[in-house]
Amino acid sequence: MSSEDLERFETEVELALYQEYKAVLPLFKFVVETERRFYLANVVQVEPKQQEGVNFVDVVLEDAWVWDMYRPVRFVERVRVISFKDVNIEEIARPES
């Protein structure tokens, strides 16, 4: 496989992932961004912690979807994320019916 073929394949996978994201977005209540991943979730619990003088955030997501093109299954029941960097949590705005 040439580098051009690999690049084309990755572009196609990323496009399919974006299309999946758009399709599943209405199923979720929150968008969660960490330094490593992007998630959609319906339940988000955040707990700031400190251990031995080090600050970090313990985030638990339930009923979630993970943006990861290398992951065969993106829907997960429960995810726990430990982050020493910023975590952005945004409630998805819904149009009023």
Side-chain angles (χ1 to χ4, degrees):
M1 180 180 269
S2 72
S3 62
E4 190 175 287
D5 290 338
L6 182 58
E7 192 172 313
R8 188 177 315 112
F9 171 76
E10 287 183 347
T11 300
E12 289 171 4
V13 170
E14 284 182 17
L15 177 59
L17 183 59
Y18 177 71
Q19 290 169 336
E20 182 180 331
Y21 161 78
K22 284 177 53 176
V24 301
L25 182 62
L27 302 174
F28 296 97
K29 189 173 180 181
F30 297 98
V31 173
V32 180
E33 290 179 85
T34 70
E35 74 272 9
R36 296 192 63 211
R37 294 231 171 27
F38 179 87
Y39 303 88
L40 300 173
N42 282 317
V43 177
V44 178
Q45 300 169 336
V46 181
E47 188 176 343
K49 293 188 175 184
Q50 185 178 53
Q51 186 173 1
E52 298 177 9
V54 177
N55 296 319
F56 60 97
V57 180
D58 188 350
V59 182
V60 175
L61 310 173
E62 294 181 14
D63 187 23
W65 181 88
V66 184
W67 179 291
D68 186 342
M69 65 188 239
Y70 300 109
R71 204 181 159 93
V73 177
R74 286 184 274 282
F75 287 97
V76 288
E77 191 173 317
R78 183 178 167 90
V79 176
R80 182 174 181 207
V81 178
I82 306 293
S83 179
F84 297 93
K85 298 189 178 184
D86 291 342
V87 175
N88 182 41
I89 301 166
E90 179 181 334
E91 188 167 357
I92 299 170
R94 301 283 182 222
E96 294 189 29
S97 309

Coordinates of all heavy atoms in Angstrom, one line a residue, residues 5-47:
D5 N -2.3 5.8 -1.0 CA -3.4 4.9 -0.7 C -3.8 5.0 0.8 O -4.9 5.0 1.1 CB -3.1 3.4 -1.0 CG -3.0 3.2 -2.5 OD1 -3.5 4.0 -3.3 OD2 -2.3 2.2 -2.9
L6 N -2.7 5.0 1.6 CA -3.0 5.1 3.1 C -3.7 6.4 3.4 O -4.6 6.5 4.2 CB -1.7 5.0 3.8 CG -1.8 5.0 5.4 CD1 -2.7 3.9 5.9 CD2 -0.4 4.8 6.0
E7 N -3.2 7.5 2.8 CA -3.8 8.8 3.1 C -5.2 8.8 2.6 O -6.1 9.4 3.3 CB -3.0 9.9 2.4 CG -3.3 11.3 2.8 CD -2.4 12.3 2.2 OE1 -1.2 12.1 2.3 OE2 -2.9 13.3 1.7
R8 N -5.5 8.3 1.5 CA -6.9 8.2 0.9 C -7.8 7.4 1.9 O -8.9 7.8 2.2 CB -6.9 7.6 -0.5 CG -8.3 7.7 -1.1 CD -8.3 7.2 -2.6 NE -7.2 7.6 -3.4 CZ -6.2 6.8 -3.9 NH1 -6.2 5.6 -3.6 NH2 -5.2 7.3 -4.6
F9 N -7.3 6.2 2.3 CA -8.0 5.4 3.3 C -8.3 6.2 4.6 O -9.5 6.2 5.0 CB -7.2 4.1 3.6 CG -7.8 3.3 4.7 CD1 -8.9 2.5 4.5 CD2 -7.3 3.4 6.0 CE1 -9.5 1.8 5.5 CE2 -7.8 2.6 7.0 CZ -8.9 1.8 6.8
E10 N -7.4 6.8 5.1 CA -7.6 7.6 6.4 C -8.6 8.7 6.2 O -9.4 9.0 7.0 CB -6.3 8.1 6.9 CG -5.4 7.1 7.6 CD -4.1 7.6 8.2 OE1 -3.8 8.8 7.9 OE2 -3.5 6.8 8.9
T11 N -8.5 9.4 5.0 CA -9.5 10.4 4.7 C -10.9 9.9 4.6 O -11.9 10.5 5.2 CB -9.1 11.1 3.4 OG1 -7.8 11.7 3.5 CG2 -10.1 12.2 3.0
E12 N -11.1 8.7 4.0 CA -12.4 8.1 3.9 C -12.9 7.7 5.3 O -14.1 7.8 5.6 CB -12.3 6.9 2.9 CG -12.1 7.2 1.5 CD -11.8 6.0 0.6 OE1 -11.8 4.9 1.1 OE2 -11.6 6.3 -0.6
V13 N -12.0 7.1 6.1 CA -12.4 6.7 7.4 C -12.8 7.9 8.3 O -13.9 7.9 9.0 CB -11.3 5.9 8.1 CG1 -11.6 5.7 9.6 CG2 -11.1 4.6 7.4
E14 N -12.1 9.0 8.2 CA -12.4 10.2 8.9 C -13.8 10.8 8.4 O -14.6 11.3 9.2 CB -11.3 11.3 8.8 CG -10.1 11.0 9.6 CD -9.0 12.0 9.5 OE1 -9.3 13.2 9.0 OE2 -7.9 11.7 9.9
L15 N -14.0 10.8 7.1 CA -15.3 11.2 6.6 C -16.5 10.4 7.1 O -17.5 10.9 7.6 CB -15.3 11.3 5.1 CG -16.6 11.7 4.4 CD1 -17.0 13.1 4.9 CD2 -16.5 11.6 2.9
A16 N -16.3 9.1 7.1 CA -17.3 8.2 7.6 C -17.5 8.4 9.1 O -18.7 8.4 9.6 CB -16.9 6.7 7.4
L17 N -16.5 8.7 9.9 CA -16.6 9.0 11.3 C -17.4 10.2 11.5 O -18.2 10.3 12.4 CB -15.2 9.0 11.9 CG -15.1 9.2 13.4 CD1 -15.9 8.1 14.2 CD2 -13.7 9.3 13.9
Y18 N -17.1 11.3 10.7 CA -17.8 12.5 10.9 C -19.3 12.4 10.5 O -20.1 12.9 11.2 CB -17.2 13.6 9.9 CG -17.9 14.9 10.0 CD1 -17.9 15.7 11.1 CD2 -18.7 15.3 8.9 CE1 -18.6 16.9 11.1 CE2 -19.4 16.5 8.9 CZ -19.4 17.3 10.0 OH -20.1 18.4 10.1
Q19 N -19.6 11.6 9.5 CA -21.0 11.3 9.2 C -21.7 10.5 10.3 O -22.8 10.8 10.6 CB -21.1 10.6 7.8 CG -20.7 11.4 6.7 CD -20.5 10.7 5.4 OE1 -20.2 9.5 5.4 NE2 -20.6 11.4 4.3
E20 N -21.0 9.6 10.9 CA -21.5 8.9 12.0 C -21.8 9.8 13.2 O -22.8 9.8 13.9 CB -20.6 7.8 12.5 CG -21.1 6.9 13.6 CD -20.2 5.8 14.1 OE1 -19.4 5.3 13.2 OE2 -20.2 5.5 15.3
Y21 N -20.8 10.7 13.5 CA -21.0 11.7 14.5 C -22.3 12.5 14.3 O -23.0 12.7 15.2 CB -19.7 12.6 14.6 CG -19.9 13.9 15.3 CD1 -19.9 14.0 16.7 CD2 -20.1 15.1 14.6 CE1 -20.1 15.2 17.3 CE2 -20.3 16.3 15.2 CZ -20.3 16.3 16.6 OH -20.5 17.5 17.3
K22 N -22.4 13.0 13.1 CA -23.6 13.8 12.8 C -24.9 13.0 13.0 O -25.9 13.6 13.5 CB -23.6 14.4 11.4 CG -22.6 15.5 11.2 CD -22.5 16.0 9.8 CE -23.8 16.4 9.2 NZ -23.6 17.0 7.8
A23 N -24.9 11.8 12.7 CA -26.1 10.9 12.9 C -26.4 10.6 14.3 O -27.6 10.6 14.7 CB -25.9 9.6 12.1
V24 N -25.4 10.5 15.2 CA -25.6 10.1 16.6 C -25.7 11.3 17.5 O -26.2 11.1 18.6 CB -24.6 9.1 17.1 CG1 -24.5 7.8 16.2 CG2 -23.2 9.7 17.2
L25 N -25.3 12.4 17.1 CA -25.3 13.6 17.9 C -26.7 13.9 18.6 O -26.7 14.1 19.8 CB -24.9 14.9 17.2 CG -24.8 16.2 17.9 CD1 -23.8 16.1 19.1 CD2 -24.4 17.3 17.0
P26 N -27.8 13.7 17.9 CA -29.1 14.0 18.6 C -29.4 13.0 19.7 O -30.3 13.3 20.5 CB -30.1 13.8 17.5 CG -29.3 14.0 16.2 CD -28.0 13.5 16.5
L27 N -28.7 11.9 19.8 CA -28.9 10.9 20.9 C -28.3 11.3 22.2 O -28.6 10.7 23.2 CB -28.4 9.6 20.5 CG -28.9 9.0 19.1 CD1 -28.1 7.7 18.8 CD2 -30.4 8.7 19.2
F28 N -27.5 12.4 22.2 CA -26.7 12.7 23.4 C -26.9 14.0 24.0 O -27.4 14.9 23.3 CB -25.2 12.5 23.1 CG -24.9 11.0 22.8 CD1 -24.8 10.6 21.5 CD2 -24.6 10.1 23.8 CE1 -24.5 9.3 21.1 CE2 -24.4 8.8 23.5 CZ -24.3 8.4 22.2
K29 N -26.6 14.2 25.2 CA -26.8 15.4 26.0 C -25.6 16.3 26.1 O -25.7 17.5 26.2 CB -27.4 15.1 27.3 CG -27.9 16.3 28.1 CD -28.6 15.8 29.4 CE -29.1 17.0 30.2 NZ -29.8 16.6 31.4
F30 N -24.4 15.7 26.2 CA -23.2 16.4 26.4 C -22.1 16.1 25.4 O -22.0 15.0 24.9 CB -22.6 16.0 27.8 CG -23.5 16.4 29.0 CD1 -24.3 15.5 29.5 CD2 -23.5 17.7 29.5 CE1 -25.1 15.8 30.6 CE2 -24.3 18.0 30.5 CZ -25.1 17.1 31.1
V31 N -21.2 17.1 25.2 CA -20.0 16.9 24.4 C -18.9 17.1 25.4 O -18.9 18.0 26.2 CB -19.9 18.0 23.3 CG1 -18.5 17.9 22.6 CG2 -21.0 17.9 22.3
V32 N -17.9 16.1 25.4 CA -16.8 16.2 26.4 C -15.5 16.1 25.6 O -15.3 15.1 24.8 CB -16.9 15.0 27.4 CG1 -15.7 15.1 28.3 CG2 -18.2 15.0 28.1
E33 N -14.6 17.1 25.8 CA -13.3 17.1 25.1 C -12.2 17.0 26.1 O -12.2 17.7 27.1 CB -13.1 18.4 24.3 CG -14.0 18.5 23.1 CD -13.7 19.8 22.4 OE1 -12.8 19.9 21.6 OE2 -14.5 20.8 22.7
T34 N -11.3 16.0 25.9 CA -10.1 15.9 26.7 C -8.9 16.1 25.8 O -9.1 16.3 24.6 CB -10.0 14.5 27.4 OG1 -9.8 13.5 26.4 CG2 -11.3 14.2 28.1
E35 N -7.7 16.1 26.4 CA -6.5 16.2 25.5 C -6.3 15.1 24.6 O -5.6 15.2 23.6 CB -5.3 16.4 26.4 CG -4.7 15.2 27.1 CD -5.4 15.0 28.4 OE1 -6.3 15.6 28.8 OE2 -4.9 14.0 29.1
R36 N -7.0 13.9 24.8 CA -6.8 12.7 24.0 C -7.9 12.4 23.1 O -7.8 11.8 22.1 CB -6.4 11.6 24.9 CG -5.1 11.8 25.6 CD -4.5 10.6 26.2 NE -4.3 9.6 25.2 CZ -4.4 8.3 25.4 NH1 -4.8 7.8 26.6 NH2 -4.1 7.4 24.5
R37 N -9.2 12.7 23.6 CA -10.3 12.2 22.9 C -11.5 13.2 22.9 O -11.5 14.1 23.7 CB -10.8 10.8 23.5 CG -9.8 9.7 23.3 CD -10.5 8.5 22.7 NE -9.7 7.4 22.3 CZ -8.5 7.0 22.7 NH1 -7.9 7.7 23.6 NH2 -7.9 6.0 22.2
F38 N -12.5 12.8 22.1 CA -13.7 13.6 22.0 C -14.9 12.6 22.3 O -14.9 11.5 21.7 CB -13.8 14.2 20.6 CG -15.0 15.0 20.3 CD1 -15.1 16.4 20.6 CD2 -16.1 14.4 19.8 CE1 -16.2 17.1 20.4 CE2 -17.2 15.2 19.5 CZ -17.3 16.5 19.8
Y39 N -15.8 13.0 23.1 CA -16.9 12.1 23.5 C -18.2 12.8 23.4 O -18.3 14.0 23.6 CB -16.8 11.6 25.0 CG -15.5 10.9 25.3 CD1 -14.4 11.7 25.8 CD2 -15.3 9.6 25.3 CE1 -13.2 11.1 26.1 CE2 -14.2 8.9 25.7 CZ -13.1 9.7 26.1 OH -11.9 9.1 26.4
L40 N -19.3 12.0 23.2 CA -20.6 12.4 23.4 C -21.1 11.5 24.5 O -20.8 10.3 24.6 CB -21.5 12.1 22.1 CG -21.0 12.9 20.9 CD1 -21.8 12.4 19.7 CD2 -21.1 14.4 21.0
A41 N -22.0 12.0 25.4 CA -22.5 11.2 26.5 C -23.8 11.8 27.0 O -24.1 13.0 26.8 CB -21.4 11.3 27.7
N42 N -24.5 10.9 27.7 CA -25.8 11.4 28.3 C -25.6 11.6 29.8 O -26.5 12.4 30.4 CB -26.9 10.3 28.1 CG -27.4 10.5 26.6 OD1 -27.6 11.6 26.2 ND2 -27.6 9.4 26.0
V43 N -24.6 11.1 30.4 CA -24.4 11.3 31.9 C -22.9 11.6 32.0 O -22.0 10.9 31.5 CB -24.7 10.0 32.7 CG1 -24.4 10.3 34.2 CG2 -26.2 9.7 32.6
V44 N -22.6 12.7 32.7 CA -21.2 13.1 32.9 C -21.1 13.5 34.4 O -21.8 14.3 35.0 CB -20.8 14.4 32.1 CG1 -19.4 14.8 32.4 CG2 -21.0 14.1 30.6
Q45 N -20.1 12.8 35.1 CA -19.8 13.1 36.4 C -18.3 13.6 36.5 O -17.4 12.9 36.0 CB -19.9 11.9 37.3 CG -21.4 11.4 37.3 CD -21.5 10.0 38.0 OE1 -20.5 9.3 38.0 NE2 -22.7 9.7 38.5
V46 N -18.1 14.7 37.1 CA -16.7 15.3 37.2 C -16.3 15.4 38.6 O -17.1 16.0 39.4 CB -16.6 16.6 36.5 CG1 -15.2 17.2 36.5 CG2 -17.1 16.5 35.0
E47 N -15.1 15.0 39.0 CA -14.6 15.1 40.3 C -13.2 15.6 40.3 O -12.3 14.8 39.9 CB -14.7 13.8 41.1 CG -14.4 13.9 42.5 CD -14.6 12.6 43.3 OE1 -15.3 11.7 42.8 OE2 -14.1 12.5 44.4

